[in-house]
Amino acid sequence: MAHSARRDSPELPDFSILKRLARDQLIYLLEQLPGKKDLFIEADLMSPLDRIANVSTLKQHEVDKLYKVEHKPVISTSDQLCFLIRPRIQTVKWICDVVNTDKVPGKSRRYKIIFTPQKFYACEAVLEEQGIFGDVSIDEWPFYLLPLDDDIISMELPEFFQDNFLAGDQRWVRTAGSALHLLYSLYGPFSKVYGIGRCSKMAYESWREQVEEGEQKARQAEIGNVFLIDRDVDFVTPLCSQVVYEGLVDDIFRIKCGCVEFGPDVTASDKSVKVMLNSHDKVFSEIRNEHFSNVFGFLSQKARNLQTAYDKRRGMDIKQMKTFVSEELKGLKQEHRLLSLHIGASESIMKKKTKQDFQELLKTEHLLLEGFEIRECISYIEEHINRQVSMIESLRLLCLLSITENGLLPKDYRSLKAQYLQSYGVDHLLTFSNLRQLGLLVEQQPGETLTVMESKVGKLVNDKTAGKLTDAFSSLAKKSNFRALSRKLNLVPKTDEEYDLRVPRDMAYIFSGAYIPLSCKLIEQVLERDGWTGLEEVTRLLNGHEFAVTGSSGVDSRGKNDTQRIILVMFLGGCTYSEISALRFLGREKGYKFIVVTTAITNSSRLLEALLDNHV
Amino acid sequence: MSWSLRDGLRDSLVAAAPYGGPIALLREPQRRSPSSRPQLEIYSASGGTIASFPWKSGPVVQLGWTVSDELLCIQEDGTVLIYDLFGSFKRHFSMGQEVVQSQVMEAKVFHSPYGTGIAIVTSSSRFTLATNIDDLKLRRLPEVPGLQGKPSCWVVLTQDRQTKVLLSNGPELFILDNTSCTVVCPPGLSPQDGNIVHMSVSFSYKYLALLTDSGHLWTGLSTLQEKLSDVDTKKTMAPKQMLWCRRPKSQQPSVVLMWDRLLLVVGVCNETIQYPIEDPCVLVGEMDGVRIISSSNQELLQEVPLVCQDIFKIASMAPGALLLEAHREYEKSSQKADEYLREIKEQSMLGEAVRQCVEAAGHEYDTNTQKSLMRAASFGKCFLTDFSPDQFVTTCRELRVLNAVRDSSVGLPLTHTQFKQLTLQVLIDRLVYRQFYPLAIEVCRYLKIPDYQGVSRVLKHWASCKVQQKDLTDDAIARAVCMKVGDSPGVSYSDIAAKAYECGRAELAIKLLDFEARSGEQVPLLLKMKRSQLALSKAVESGDTDLVYTVVSYLKNEMNRGDFFMTLRNQPVALSLYRQFCKLQEQETLKDLYNQDDDHQELANYYVTASYREKRLEGRLSLLQSAVDEYNKAKNEFAVKTTEDEMRLLRFQRKLDDEKGAGLLGLSLQVTMETLLSLGLHKQAEQLYKDFRVPDKRYWWLKLKSLAEKEEWDELEKFSKSKKSPIGYLAFVEVCIKCNNKYEAKKYVSKVTPEQKVKAHLAVG
């Protein structure tokens, strides 16, 4: 990688403690139920659990058989059942069924439910309603945070987004606060906390409450500042196609809990291979943040280097050969294996993404971001729907269109919606209702045809006045105001210059130089200004709820330099790999180290799938 | 004594609690005329009046105090009434049904590790025991053979975690336990000594004293295994009271006997000490002596502690005594001080001397003696290098506290030994219970007790007491409480508010709750007070969704549905929480909820969702129709139209399924058309295309793909010529290439528009 990283980058704190802590807590809970027991694990807890404690660890603590929670009758013969679940009512109901089925023939077993990361009263209420509250013992496993990589920590709570932003259910806010508190008690005190968004503010308050309740220990801070941000502050970024390697891999192969499964088309054999993607993978760590167009060049360079390393063997005497075999060969082999996997993956991506239509798709996205040739974009989207390219992709483009344009014209809105419903079934009427609720896909109110007005005015007068006019027009709450924000924060670089993706100028490189992610730009600005001063207009457009609080520790912010430059960014509602790449770039430029904490890793498909109304 | 008793202690039932506890007095308990009721009076140990009220219940046999300073009044009919220190009635219980007929002859209140117990004997000579009145379990003891009426004397013993009764009937001695009645014979006491008329057991239940009618006093272990002494008192009259007077590690245990005019102290040796008394007195057994209460004063009779003996004995040469003397000389600036000191030092006993002085100071009652002893200790300490000051400092502090509580305005005459046994915590509790809040706080501060156990606890009690003051307004109390309590750690405003509510001051409770910082704490009480709206908004404020949910489910059960929904409507957070729950648990409620809100849009969506769960077509259609109605009400024309289209499509699909078995039901329009085309049902597809006004482009794409996939090239060519293609002809080329038919593709290249021609040629190759 050609970036000139600043040498004085601070060291990241060691997050493996979080894993050890979680494992010890789990083992303690398992030991509370002595004797052999069968363990039922919620399906989406399988992978996170695997990162914490593998099967043999569980077996050591008398777990006999492991089952996935499948909402089916159980076939276990063990007389002790342990359920490790998320606090979801459906799962609890299933457990009630299991217990009640056992009761009919008078079978007696011991049941234990371990809720993670916490229990909810509603779950207990269900147990009570079904009359089995006394039959089960309940515990909480405070497994809030799973470190996915040196600088990524995930709460693995994808439902946070849906529950909080769509359903307005704030039950997870406290969980987020607790997670922050855990980080605070291990790596704090923080010297400053910034944030934007309603949920962020509530999570912050919940955390403060917990700080005040608990005892305070004076310790060496390992994290300087904290930035909390709601996902609904910036919907544009996660809706864009990702073109940085790690993001692309996520978009195409879906990275699950820091691990990806490459299918036969990648491995060039008939087996699938599971690969951990993190900084321990030497090849991957060098290409993860690269724009895809550079990846191939890099990989082939790497292959040549590898070959040279192998070639060293020639002309070696026996002794040299011996040291080579014992010291280098293993590493080279490992690297070789990874290299071939990533080359395979890249080829597979190339096949899918470098076709004509992907280029056109990107072009449309860029046009939408820039706000040019909207009519062409609309007809492109229309064709996209009509040809049934992809249900999610079409929806994504529609949302992107709506957000960047502050809603669709009623005529377009109706026709596009009708087309979409004809293509993918009328049940998506509910999906549209969800999208409207979130403000992702809305209809412009009559008299508010901003784009039309704006484009007319824009042609007549210069940009500045048009900006003012835009501001004057934007008043309603659920509006994205993307255009105005973009202008205020310079999110879309000027297109007339050629953007050299090899030597990125700014964070826009993660979208081929077309757009600087709003979320990351906000973080950059706030850190630079040490607060929200000068950004009043921006926060107004973002609908407020911003805050900046200096920590109680009273540490002088100019004091300990190294920790001050370690910034914890917490995304409430998920963040994408592209955003992480952008923050890494920002860190390298400014000498920060970012730690990303997120409720879950997301991307456009996950985001939209969460909003589909799947009628179960 | 600060009391002024008109008739002294004559004809009164008196009960005084140990550890310098309060005194209860019931005058002429046996007087039964309804016109003049006996007066029950409660005094502090120093005779300060605490409460006084006329006794209105039945005749009282015995008064007694519990370990937590509650007054027990045992009535003739076996009812036990419990009053608190201030004479307010707390509760009552009965010692059993059979007692009501047979009446209580005698009763005794006793203390054991399990708490305070009561033992009674009835006129039918049966004993009933309750070991702990707070956890009442009555035990009726077996019959005593040959006993008529009440026994001549009896005591309660607790041994080996068992409570027994020791009683005498004439010369015979019985032990009565749960199951049996055994005759026992104390060693060294022959039947010739006469009938046993009085017995007493020591404070620790370890020693027993028996007095016969011939004046013989036998003392021994209460296990009756060993005799200590046998003294002839030469008094044949039964004494009024007989008590042990000893202290822990007693050198000279003795028994105190009291007659009308005489107090006799009998030790292990044959000597006795006699004190004449003028007034009727009452003896109270303490762990380290006997308290003698008369109408005019109160005295403590105790064995002089060994250290005090050592120091104050005439011509004592104990190091402590020498040190005291040395200090006295030093005060007089006499060189003798040095001589005394040297003498101690030569024996290298200075450390011991200091220790003796400090210990003796602890036992002394007189502040001047305390001071001189402490000064001497401090003087001696100067000549010692590594002497730990801890004992000196703690004794100093404790003495200050003890002197403060011994003051007659407080009236807790505790000895140092009692104080150690009682512990500081209990002392503070007792101060709080007697409402000496400022003193309690001072003590806490002075002894540097952590706030949580000390000052805060006192404040909490103070506040709970404060809210019960009926003469103050809610505002004044709230202000006073807030000012005093502030935000002391560990004082929960909600607890205080709960107390206020218990006293029926709901408004005050709400005012106090406002001071509570943690809104979560406010909620349970608010719910109890039926301020559900307020509770809900506080719960929402706390940000704890579990709490919100608790309130919601409480409200759901408390209110009627309409009110419940209205309440929720004002609280969006609670509403969405409840909605989430209903979505998973109670679909029907969800519908009602939307109905109540006139939220037609959501209601319609609800019907649409429901329609997908419905398997039968008819049911599905009717649900969709309901959705259409609701969409209409919501003025969502678009949704109305789409839903109607969907219904139309469903009917169409059903018809075709019935006719051709196409398996279309539930498919989207697009997929339906696709299936139709692939089945070769072009006409029906065409019909859908027209009926649902499918855009041309879409239809053309669809048909193009479908024909190409089925390789019906002729049909495709026909189709291409049917009219001008709305999707251009490049699409035709591309689709043909995709299906690997270059030949067909070439047919369309010529029709491609000039701009796209290059692409077309490239595609064909």
Side-chain angles (χ1 to χ4, degrees):
Chain A
M1 181 152 225
H3 298 312
S4 54
R6 274 173 57 159
R7 288 228 187 86
D8 58 347
S9 297
E11 283 290 309
L12 284 169
D14 176 22
F15 291 117
S16 60
I17 301 171
L18 291 171
K19 283 193 194 180
R20 282 209 301 278
L21 197 66
R23 185 178 56 226
D24 292 351
Q25 283 161 338
L26 178 64
I27 287 170
Y28 173 77
L29 289 175
L30 287 176
E31 280 173 356
Q32 301 292 95
L33 189 69
K36 287 228 176 286
K37 59 220 156 221
D38 282 359
L39 185 63
F40 290 78
I41 306 168
E42 187 110 58
D44 51 355
L45 269 173
M46 292 288 240
S47 305
L49 181 66
D50 202 37
R51 300 280 169 281
I52 296 295
N54 51 24
V55 178
S56 60
T57 319
L58 295 177
K59 298 250 159 167
Q60 270 170 26
H61 296 277
E62 299 186 275
V63 171
D64 196 20
K65 292 194 184 89
L66 286 164
Y67 297 95
K68 201 190 311 187
V69 169
E70 287 175 313
H71 300 263
K72 279 187 240 160
V74 298
I75 35 158
S76 160
T77 52
S78 175
D79 54 357
Q80 298 202 93
L81 304 184
C82 188
F83 302 91
L84 182 60
I85 58 167
R86 292 274 184 225
R88 294 182 187 131
I89 288 176
Q90 300 98 304
T91 321
V92 174
K93 268 163 99 177
W94 168 73
I95 294 173
C96 293
D97 292 344
V98 170
V99 177
N100 283 328
T101 325
D102 281 352
K103 272 186 182 172
V104 175
K107 201 184 214 168
S108 94
R109 290 181 182 184
R110 292 181 67 183
Y111 309 93
K112 183 187 191 71
I113 305 180
I114 303 175
F115 289 108
T116 183
Q118 64 182 111
K119 64 183 179 198
F120 287 131
Y121 178 74
C123 296
E124 288 178 306
V126 171
L127 288 175
E128 223 177 305
E129 234 168 67
Q130 305 276 329
I132 66 153
F133 191 73
D135 300 307
V136 296
S137 60
I138 292 173
D139 261 311
E140 283 179 313
W141 180 31
F143 173 41
Y144 290 107
L145 296 163
L146 173 69
L148 293 179
D149 204 343
D150 296 340
D151 59 349
I152 312 174
I153 305 173
S154 168
M155 294 175 67
E156 293 296 315
L157 283 175
E159 64 241 68
F160 186 101
F161 174 70
Q162 232 166 314
D163 284 347
N164 194 71
F165 295 107
L166 182 62
D169 176 350
Q170 297 166 349
R171 70 172 106 176
W172 296 110
V173 171
R174 208 175 157 72
T175 317
S178 305
L180 193 59
H181 187 241
L182 178 62
L183 288 169
Y184 167 82
S185 49
L186 289 174
Y187 306 104
F190 311 141
S191 46
K192 208 148 188 190
V193 184
Y194 312 100
I196 184 157
R198 215 165 99 86
C199 181
S200 293
K201 190 147 195 187
M202 289 176 63
Y204 168 77
E205 275 158 10
S206 158
W207 164 60
R208 280 307 316 171
E209 229 166 73
Q210 294 178 47
V211 169
E212 271 151 34
E213 272 168 32
E215 60 206 289
Q216 299 201 339
K217 280 178 284 178
R219 57 187 312 289
Q220 184 64 43
E222 289 181 76
I223 290 173
N225 298 334
V226 175
F227 195 103
L228 299 167
I229 183 167
D230 280 17
R231 185 69 273 172
D232 67 352
V233 166
D234 174 18
F235 274 134
V236 177
T237 310
L239 284 175
C240 291
S241 299
Q242 306 194 68
V243 285
V244 166
Y245 186 68
E246 192 169 11
L248 258 177
V249 171
D250 188 32
D251 268 0
I252 292 171
F253 303 104
R254 294 228 166 180
I255 301 175
K256 206 169 142 197
C257 216
C259 178
V260 72
E261 186 168 355
F262 285 134
D265 56 331
V266 173
T267 54
S269 62
D270 45 359
K271 276 187 300 193
S272 295
V273 179
K274 276 194 175 171
V275 189
M276 294 289 295
L277 295 179
N278 54 35
S279 53
H280 298 297
D281 177 342
K282 290 235 175 54
V283 182
F284 178 70
S285 68
E286 285 183 74
I287 53 172
R288 68 198 301 185
N289 299 321
E290 286 292 310
H291 189 273
F292 188 67
S293 58
N294 298 339
V295 170
F296 252 115
F298 176 85
L299 287 177
S300 58
Q301 178 64 39
K302 189 89 190 167
R304 273 199 295 279
N305 291 351
L306 209 56
Q307 193 56 50
T308 344
Y310 272 121
D311 286 348
K312 274 203 300 196
R313 286 180 298 185
R314 282 182 209 142
M316 277 183 189
D317 57 29
I318 296 291
K319 206 173 158 203
Q320 282 169 322
M321 189 66 107
K322 218 171 167 182
T323 47
F324 174 80
V325 171
S326 64
E327 282 164 20
E328 285 176 57
L329 195 60
K330 197 164 165 243
L332 287 176
K333 280 234 163 107
Q334 169 77 2
E335 214 166 310
H336 182 100
R337 195 182 70 88
L338 290 170
L339 190 62
S340 58
L341 270 177
H342 286 297
I343 291 178
S346 305
E347 276 171 348
S348 168
I349 293 170
M350 285 287 263
K351 252 183 240 155
K352 284 180 187 131
K353 291 288 181 183
T354 48
K355 277 190 217 149
Q356 199 68 27
D357 32 356
F358 186 62
Q359 291 302 332
E360 270 174 41
L361 185 76
L362 282 182
K363 200 181 132 211
T364 310
E365 277 179 30
H366 293 171
L367 285 175
L368 286 173
L369 290 167
E370 284 158 27
F372 291 141
E373 301 177 32
I374 297 303
R375 282 259 68 94
E376 280 76 0
C377 292
I378 291 176
S379 50
Y380 176 81
I381 296 171
E382 204 171 353
E383 194 182 317
H384 204 266
I385 296 170
N386 283 343
R387 291 175 62 182
Q388 292 202 292
V389 179
S390 148
M391 178 174 84
I392 290 289
E393 287 276 273
S394 303
L395 210 53
R396 181 170 71 85
L397 288 172
L398 280 173
C399 293
L400 207 53
L401 172 69
S402 165
I403 298 185
T404 52
E405 290 298 300
N406 245 343
L408 304 181
L409 292 175
K411 181 172 68 74
D412 294 335
Y413 183 66
R414 273 161 210 222
S415 89
L416 287 170
K417 215 160 111 176
Q419 309 248 7
Y420 192 87
L421 291 180
Q422 285 184 354
S423 277
Y424 299 110
V426 81
D427 39 334
H428 284 290
L429 203 56
L430 303 177
T431 308
F432 281 112
S433 154
N434 286 345
L435 290 171
R436 201 187 55 185
Q437 204 176 326
L438 265 181
L440 275 175
L441 182 54
V442 292
E443 185 179 358
Q444 279 177 7
Q445 296 306 312
E448 222 196 332
T449 48
L450 205 68
T451 325
V452 182
M453 284 289 284
E454 204 184 344
S455 53
K456 272 182 200 158
V457 177
K459 268 169 206 144
L460 295 172
V461 264
N462 60 21
D463 266 355
K464 218 172 161 189
T465 33
K468 270 187 192 152
L469 269 170
T470 317
D471 294 349
F473 279 121
S474 51
S475 55
L476 266 168
K478 275 269 165 152
K479 285 190 341 193
S480 66
N481 299 318
F482 177 74
R483 200 67 64 218
L485 281 167
S486 157
R487 235 186 317 264
K488 275 263 169 303
L489 292 169
N490 254 330
L491 295 181
V492 179
K494 289 205 177 62
T495 37
D496 39 2
E497 300 167 45
E498 196 56 42
Y499 198 101
D500 186 358
L501 292 169
R502 269 167 222 286
V503 194
R505 274 202 309 270
D506 50 28
M507 290 187 282
Y509 91 93
I510 63 158
F511 292 121
S512 315
Y515 161 64
I516 301 174
L518 170 59
S519 50
C520 304
K521 186 78 182 180
L522 276 175
I523 294 166
E524 181 205 81
Q525 289 292 313
V526 169
L527 289 178
E528 209 166 79
R529 292 160 196 263
D530 193 23
W532 294 95
T533 35
L535 295 171
E536 289 83 3
E537 192 63 11
V538 173
T539 55
R540 195 183 62 76
L541 290 170
L542 285 173
N543 207 9
H545 294 294
E546 79 281 359
F547 59 92
V549 191
T550 309
S552 52
S553 59
V555 186
D556 184 22
S557 56
R558 276 153 295 279
K560 290 169 249 137
N561 247 328
D562 266 10
T563 34
Q564 282 315 305
R565 284 186 283 114
I566 295 188
I567 318 281
L568 183 98
V569 179
M570 189 167 188
F571 285 91
L572 296 164
C575 82
T576 65
Y577 278 114
S578 293
E579 283 170 309
I580 297 173
S581 291
L583 286 177
R584 285 185 185 133
F585 173 83
L586 184 65
R588 273 194 304 275
E589 290 286 296
K590 310 258 169 165
Y592 294 126
K593 269 274 170 61
F594 285 100
I595 302 153
V596 176
V597 181
T598 174
T599 51
I601 297 286
T602 190
N603 60 22
S604 53
S605 332
R606 292 199 192 99
L607 192 85
L608 291 171
E609 276 160 17
L611 303 174
L612 293 183
D613 215 286
N614 38 352
H615 31 84
V616 260
Chain B
M1 295 298 273
S2 56
W3 60 19
S4 53
L5 298 174
R6 230 178 334 120
D7 309 318
L9 294 168
R10 215 179 298 276
D11 297 330
S12 314
L13 209 52
V14 181
Y19 294 105
I23 306 166
L25 205 96
L26 186 64
R27 214 170 288 281
E28 299 175 41
Q30 301 303 329
R31 196 169 57 192
R32 289 199 190 175
S33 80
S35 56
S36 65
R37 293 208 160 100
Q39 191 78 4
L40 182 69
E41 289 161 346
I42 299 175
Y43 295 97
S44 76
S46 60
T49 311
I50 298 177
S52 168
F53 55 96
W55 184 254
K56 289 175 188 161
S57 309
V60 177
V61 175
Q62 180 76 39
L63 293 174
W65 291 94
T66 69
V67 280
S68 46
D69 279 349
E70 287 165 327
L71 181 63
L72 301 174
C73 305
I74 305 157
Q75 294 193 139
E76 222 170 54
D77 59 356
T79 317
V80 180
L81 293 94
I82 304 180
Y83 290 82
D84 74 2
L85 189 59
F86 301 98
S88 46
F89 177 75
K90 293 185 82 168
R91 64 192 174 94
H92 72 95
F93 61 88
S94 164
M95 290 299 287
Q97 268 311 308
E98 70 278 2
V99 186
V100 179
Q101 283 100 42
S102 53
Q103 302 233 309
V104 180
M105 294 292 287
E106 261 184 11
K108 282 190 197 313
V109 176
F110 60 96
H111 305 283
S112 71
Y114 309 107
T116 304
I118 292 177
I120 54 161
V121 57
T122 60
S123 57
S124 55
S125 310
R126 293 296 294 265
F127 284 88
T128 306
L129 267 184
T131 334
N132 181 5
I133 54 153
D134 292 323
D135 177 21
L136 195 66
K137 279 193 197 93
L138 293 177
R139 287 192 288 129
R140 199 154 183 234
L141 300 184
E143 218 166 320
V144 181
L147 180 65
Q148 295 288 318
K150 63 169 192 172
S152 47
C153 59
W154 58 289
V155 286
V156 182
L157 296 173
T158 52
Q159 287 172 339
D160 311 329
R161 290 191 254 160
Q162 253 204 331
T163 311
K164 300 171 186 171
V165 170
L166 181 71
L167 67 128
S168 70
N169 186 19
E172 283 175 306
L173 207 55
F174 299 93
I175 280 204
L176 205 53
D177 62 17
N178 282 352
T179 49
S180 60
C181 175
T182 5
V183 182
V184 282
C185 200
L189 186 72
S190 62
Q192 291 93 307
D193 289 330
N195 297 339
I196 296 164
V197 288
H198 219 303
M199 55 174 81
S200 161
V201 69
S202 71
F203 202 81
S204 57
Y205 292 104
K206 248 187 174 157
Y207 302 95
L208 184 69
L210 302 171
L211 185 71
T212 63
D213 54 2
S214 61
H216 262 85
L217 182 70
W218 178 94
T219 56
L221 295 184
S222 63
T223 48
L224 297 172
Q225 306 279 325
E226 202 181 308
K227 182 178 116 169
L228 287 178
S229 73
D230 190 357
V231 181
D232 186 4
T233 60
K234 303 186 181 69
K235 308 265 181 211
T236 46
M237 209 168 62
K240 270 172 75 186
Q241 262 186 303
M242 180 169 89
L243 279 178
W244 274 94
C245 174
R246 18 178 324 120
R247 59 164 55 251
K249 296 192 194 110
S250 201
Q251 302 287 314
Q252 304 262 315
S254 53
V255 178
V256 180
L257 295 96
M258 187 187 74
W259 287 269
D260 270 345
R261 299 242 164 236
L262 181 73
L263 198 72
L264 190 71
V265 184
V266 183
V268 272
C269 52
N270 270 317
E271 277 169 44
T272 55
I273 312 169
Q274 298 195 357
Y275 296 102
I277 41 174
E278 283 145 22
D279 260 356
C281 292
V282 176
L283 301 182
V284 185
E286 296 276 1
M287 64 177 293
D288 57 348
V290 172
R291 224 162 15 121
I292 306 162
I293 300 167
S294 76
S295 59
S296 57
N297 51 15
Q298 169 168 240
E299 284 166 295
L300 181 73
L301 179 69
Q302 68 173 164
E303 180 191 334
V304 180
L306 200 58
V307 274
C308 298
Q309 280 181 43
D310 278 349
I311 290 179
F312 294 109
K313 209 155 56 181
I314 297 166
S316 167
M317 292 299 278
L322 291 176
L323 181 61
L324 185 64
E325 199 53 38
H327 181 247
R328 229 176 254 156
E329 295 299 331
Y330 172 75
E331 296 263 275
K332 282 189 263 170
S333 315
S334 156
Q335 84 284 1
K336 277 193 191 155
D338 187 48
E339 281 170 33
Y340 284 121
L341 260 181
R342 244 174 241 287
E343 203 177 326
I344 309 170
K345 270 188 178 166
E346 267 161 27
Q347 301 168 36
S348 51
M349 294 292 269
L350 191 53
E352 180 58 30
V354 173
R355 257 190 296 280
Q356 280 188 352
C357 283
V358 170
E359 207 188 318
H363 289 301
E364 282 307 319
Y365 240 72
D366 176 46
T367 47
N368 287 325
T369 322
Q370 287 169 3
K371 271 185 209 155
S372 62
L373 283 165
M374 286 318 264
R375 287 214 183 97
S378 137
F379 173 67
K381 218 153 54 74
C382 302
F383 300 95
L384 285 167
T385 42
D386 49 346
F387 186 80
S388 160
D390 287 352
Q391 202 204 356
F392 181 80
V393 174
T394 31
T395 310
C396 258
R397 288 205 174 126
E398 285 167 359
L399 274 178
R400 277 200 69 176
V401 171
L402 280 176
N403 288 337
V405 299
R406 281 170 190 168
D407 189 274
S408 70
S409 61
V410 179
L412 276 171
L414 283 175
T415 64
H416 192 252
T417 324
Q418 288 169 12
F419 168 73
K420 280 291 184 203
Q421 181 73 22
L422 198 63
T423 72
L424 181 63
Q425 281 303 324
V426 179
L427 176 63
I428 292 172
D429 281 348
R430 295 209 160 173
L431 285 177
V432 165
Y433 186 44
R434 286 165 172 72
Q435 303 190 347
F436 292 113
Y437 300 112
L439 180 63
I441 289 183
E442 281 308 312
V443 169
C444 292
R445 292 216 174 110
Y446 180 65
L447 294 183
K448 298 201 176 63
I449 299 171
D451 267 1
Y452 193 76
Q453 301 164 0
V455 176
S456 298
R457 209 158 53 106
V458 179
L459 280 174
K460 201 161 88 187
H461 285 283
W462 169 77
S464 313
C465 169
K466 186 85 185 165
V467 294
Q468 297 174 35
Q469 292 185 356
K470 300 240 167 9
D471 50 335
L472 289 174
T473 65
D474 291 346
D475 265 334
I477 291 178
R479 225 176 308 121
V481 167
C482 176
M483 237 167 65
K484 276 264 166 40
V485 177
D487 46 0
S488 315
V491 185
S492 150
Y493 278 101
S494 46
D495 288 350
I496 303 171
K499 193 84 196 169
Y501 178 63
E502 263 173 42
C503 308
R505 305 187 72 159
E507 283 308 312
L508 176 60
I510 290 175
K511 282 206 172 71
L512 287 169
L513 275 183
D514 275 344
F515 295 121
E516 177 66 60
R518 293 155 299 165
S519 24
E521 295 289 310
Q522 307 167 337
V523 174
L525 182 63
L526 286 172
L527 278 186
K528 214 162 112 194
M529 290 164 58
K530 311 249 181 262
R531 303 291 170 116
S532 31
Q533 305 266 0
L534 198 56
L536 189 57
S537 55
K538 290 283 182 197
V540 169
E541 221 171 83
S542 78
D544 182 348
T545 46
D546 275 1
L547 198 61
V548 177
Y549 192 77
T550 318
V551 181
V552 168
S553 53
Y554 175 85
L555 294 183
K556 193 173 126 195
N557 297 329
E558 273 314 276
M559 296 173 142
N560 67 41
R561 236 175 159 66
D563 291 349
F564 174 56
F565 288 156
M566 279 307 281
T567 313
L568 281 186
R569 208 166 148 184
N570 299 326
Q571 289 289 354
V573 175
L575 181 61
S576 47
L577 201 70
Y578 187 59
R579 269 192 197 157
Q580 280 284 89
F581 180 73
C582 287
K583 253 181 207 162
L584 296 162
Q585 274 295 71
E586 300 170 17
Q587 293 278 348
E588 282 303 304
T589 319
L590 198 61
K591 197 170 88 183
D592 297 345
L593 207 58
Y594 292 140
N595 242 327
Q596 171 87 17
D597 277 2
D598 290 332
D599 190 342
H600 299 295
Q601 176 71 29
E602 280 298 330
L603 203 54
N605 286 350
Y606 166 79
Y607 283 124
V608 174
T609 320
S611 80
Y612 289 109
R613 279 195 305 269
E614 181 64 55
K615 289 280 173 295
R616 293 172 311 115
L617 182 67
E618 290 72 29
R620 207 160 169 180
L621 286 174
S622 77
L623 279 167
L624 283 175
Q625 186 54 50
S626 313
V628 167
D629 295 345
E630 292 300 329
Y631 277 133
N632 259 325
K633 282 183 204 155
K635 299 205 172 57
N636 188 341
E637 292 142 35
F638 178 78
V640 171
K641 195 175 157 290
T642 7
T643 318
E644 277 169 354
D645 283 353
E646 172 70 4
M647 289 164 70
R648 213 142 43 95
L649 182 64
L650 282 173
R651 290 202 188 94
F652 178 86
Q653 287 168 338
R654 175 60 168 273
K655 205 179 96 205
L656 271 188
D657 281 359
D658 288 350
E659 284 169 11
K660 319 252 173 188
L664 298 170
L665 198 64
L667 297 178
S668 73
L669 179 61
Q670 175 88 1
V671 183
T672 314
M673 291 197 296
E674 228 170 81
T675 321
L676 288 176
L677 287 173
S678 71
L679 288 172
L681 299 167
H682 291 276
K683 208 186 244 161
Q684 283 81 354
E686 196 88 10
Q687 191 195 337
L688 280 178
Y689 157 59
K690 278 176 188 146
D691 281 0
F692 288 93
R693 273 182 275 154
V694 177
D696 290 348
K697 277 187 188 175
R698 170 194 296 274
Y699 189 67
W700 275 70
W701 270 110
L702 185 62
K703 191 149 183 180
L704 166 64
K705 266 196 207 159
S706 148
L707 288 174
E709 260 157 39
K710 285 171 75 189
E711 309 201 334
E712 292 180 4
W713 304 115
D714 294 342
E715 198 67 29
L716 184 63
E717 201 170 342
K718 234 194 268 166
F719 175 59
S720 78
K721 285 170 185 161
S722 62
K723 67 176 188 182
K724 189 173 179 293
S725 162
I727 53 171
Y729 290 92
L730 179 62
F732 279 78
V733 178
E734 280 172 352
V735 170
C736 290
I737 292 295
K738 216 177 211 167
C739 297
N740 297 320
N741 197 330
K742 256 187 197 176
Y743 173 73
E744 286 295 325
K746 276 180 186 154
K747 283 186 186 170
Y748 304 103
V749 172
S750 58
K751 288 188 172 178
V752 175
T753 51
E755 303 93 76
Q756 293 181 319
K757 216 147 213 167
V758 185
K759 264 191 196 167
H761 279 294
L762 273 176
V764 177

